[in-house]
Amino acid sequence: MTDEVNEQHAWDQWDDDVRAAVAGELRLMDPTVRSARDVARQLLDPDFVEVGASGRRWSREDILAALPEMDGAAEDGARYEPSDLRGVVLAPGLVHLTYETTINEERARRSSLWRAGHDGTWRMYYHQATIVPAAGRRRAHERHA
C-alpha cells in the first residue's frame, strides 16, 4: 500500500512540475512580462540559452535586452497564440515542453527546458524555435523525408 501512495505522490509531483513550467512559459508570452526585463529575468535561468527561429544563438542577457522590442511585447500588438502544449518530466527538477505558436500569421514549433532551482523556483534553461514553412514552400528534400 505504501508503494501505491509513493507512486501517486510522484505522479502528483510530476503534474505540479509540468504545470509550473507551463505557467512560466505562458508568462513569458505575456506582453507585460516581455516588456519588463526585471520580471522576465526572474523566469530565465542564469545559464539560459536560446536558438531562435533565425538560427541565432541568444544568451540570457541578449534576450533580456531584445525582448521588449520583439514580437508579442506590445500590449496593443500581436500576441503569441500557443497550441498543442505538451510537457514531460525528464528528471526530478527538469521539464521539457513542446508546442506551436502563431503570431503575425507565422507558425513556429517550440521546445523548452525548464529546471527548478535550489529555491524551488522554475526557470527556463533552454529554448528553441523552428519556423513552420507555409504550405507549398517546403524544399524537395523535406517532401520526401
Side-chain angles (χ1 to χ4, degrees):
M1 189 71 143
T2 303
D3 288 342
E4 287 179 23
V5 171
N6 288 337
E7 186 175 312
Q8 183 60 46
H9 175 72
W11 282 108
D12 290 345
Q13 184 63 45
W14 285 16
D15 289 345
D16 289 344
D17 292 350
V18 170
R19 278 194 287 274
V22 167
E25 193 83 36
L26 295 175
R27 284 193 69 209
L28 281 169
M29 289 183 224
D30 184 321
T32 59
V33 172
R34 295 177 75 78
S35 62
R37 287 185 182 107
D38 289 340
V39 178
R41 181 181 309 279
Q42 295 171 16
L43 293 167
L44 299 178
D45 191 89
D47 296 324
F48 172 81
V49 173
E50 175 172 335
V51 177
S54 67
R56 178 180 174 183
R57 182 182 171 96
W58 299 79
S59 70
R60 181 183 192 213
E61 293 309 315
D62 292 337
I63 206 76
L64 287 170
L67 202 56
E69 306 302 320
M70 296 174 97
D71 286 342
E75 189 66 39
D76 59 348
R79 292 181 182 228
Y80 282 96
E81 298 175 29
S83 62
D84 200 24
L85 190 58
R86 297 168 190 233
V88 63
V89 174
L90 298 177
L94 184 64
V95 171
H96 180 220
L97 299 180
T98 58
Y99 60 101
E100 287 193 14
T101 58
T102 303
I103 188 167
N104 296 324
E105 297 183 24
E106 186 173 84
R107 286 181 42 219
R109 291 194 177 98
R110 298 182 179 272
S111 176
S112 297
L113 291 174
W114 286 77
R115 69 179 179 181
H118 296 296
D119 62 357
T121 301
W122 284 88
R123 292 183 181 91
M124 184 186 282
Y125 173 73
Y126 179 82
H127 184 77
Q128 184 161 355
T130 304
I131 296 295
V132 177
R137 291 193 343 202
R138 295 186 303 170
R139 295 182 207 137
H141 73 274
E142 293 176 324
R143 283 191 283 257
H144 302 290

